Amino acid sequence: MANIVMFCILAVVILGSAVLCVTTTRIMRAATFMLFVLFGVAGLYFLLDYTFLGAAQISIYAGGVTMIYVFAIQLVSKRTLQGMVERMKGSRVIFGAFMSLVGLATVTFIVLKNKFICMAGQVMDTEVPMAKIGTALVGSEKYQYVLPFEFISVFLLACIIGGLVVARKEE
C-alpha cells in the first residue's frame, strides 16, 4: 500500500513538473521544473529497488545534463533571452489542445485494441537481476546499449562546443 501511495505522489510530481516545464515562459524556471521531473523519475527507480539506475539518473541526468542546460542558458545574452518571450494566441492553444486529444484518443485506441492491459496482468512477476541490466547497458551485442550511449556522449560534446562557439564574443 505504501508503494502505491509513493508512486501516486511521484506521478503527480513528475506530471505537474513536466506540464509546468513546458508551459512556463521563464527559461530558468523551465530548467528547475525539468530537474524536478528527473528527480521524480529517479524516485521511481528507487521505488522499484533499482538503486543503480536511480543513482545513475541523479548523477547523469539530474546532475550533469541539467547543469549543461543551465550553463548553456547562462552563455546566452540577456537581450536574446528577453526576445524569446512569446504570447500565446487563442487559436494555437485550441489547436494544441485538439491535437493533444487526438493523440490521447490514438494511444487509448491502440492500448484497447491490442489488449495491453490484459497482457500486463499476465506478465510474470519476476525480478530482473542487476547483472542482466548491467550487461544490457554496457554490452556491445544485439539489443545492448553501449553504442547509443557513445553516440549520445559525442552529441552532447558537440552541443557544448557549439554553445561555446555561439557564445564567443567577436572581436
Side-chain angles (χ1 to χ4, degrees):
M1 183 67 183
N3 284 342
I4 294 174
V5 171
M6 195 63 199
F7 173 78
C8 291
I9 291 170
L10 286 171
V12 167
V13 168
I14 291 170
L15 290 175
S17 297
V19 168
L20 289 171
C21 179
V22 298
T23 57
T24 185
T25 57
R26 307 241 180 199
I27 196 159
M28 289 303 288
R29 287 184 185 167
T32 305
F33 289 130
M34 184 181 74
L35 181 66
F36 289 150
V37 170
L38 295 173
F39 275 131
V41 172
L44 288 178
Y45 286 141
F46 286 124
L47 189 64
L48 293 171
D49 288 333
Y50 289 131
T51 54
F52 173 74
L53 290 178
Q57 175 78 15
I58 289 173
S59 64
I60 294 170
Y61 292 108
V65 174
T66 304
M67 287 305 112
I68 289 171
Y69 185 56
V70 171
F71 179 67
I73 291 169
Q74 296 299 326
L75 285 176
V76 177
S77 68
K78 189 175 182 180
R79 282 182 282 145
T80 305
L81 286 177
Q82 289 173 348
M84 292 179 77
V85 176
E86 183 179 319
R87 302 283 178 225
M88 285 196 265
K89 296 180 182 176
S91 61
R92 282 189 173 183
V93 171
I94 293 171
F95 180 71
F98 175 72
M99 292 306 292
S100 297
L101 289 175
V102 168
L104 178 67
T106 304
V107 169
T108 304
F109 173 74
I110 290 171
V111 166
L112 293 177
K113 180 181 179 236
N114 294 319
K115 300 178 183 169
F116 286 136
I117 296 172
C118 296
M119 289 175 19
Q122 296 172 355
V123 175
M124 291 190 311
D125 192 20
T126 59
E127 186 173 331
V128 178
M130 193 51 81
K132 188 173 181 179
I133 294 173
T135 303
L137 287 176
V138 295
S140 60
E141 301 293 323
K142 188 174 181 180
Y143 303 118
Q144 294 179 345
Y145 298 104
V146 75
L147 192 59
F149 280 150
E150 291 299 322
F151 282 136
I152 290 170
S153 66
V154 170
F155 176 72
L156 287 174
L157 179 63
C159 289
I160 293 170
I161 292 171
L164 291 173
V165 168
V166 168
R168 188 180 71 195
K169 294 186 179 192
E170 295 184 21
E171 298 176 7

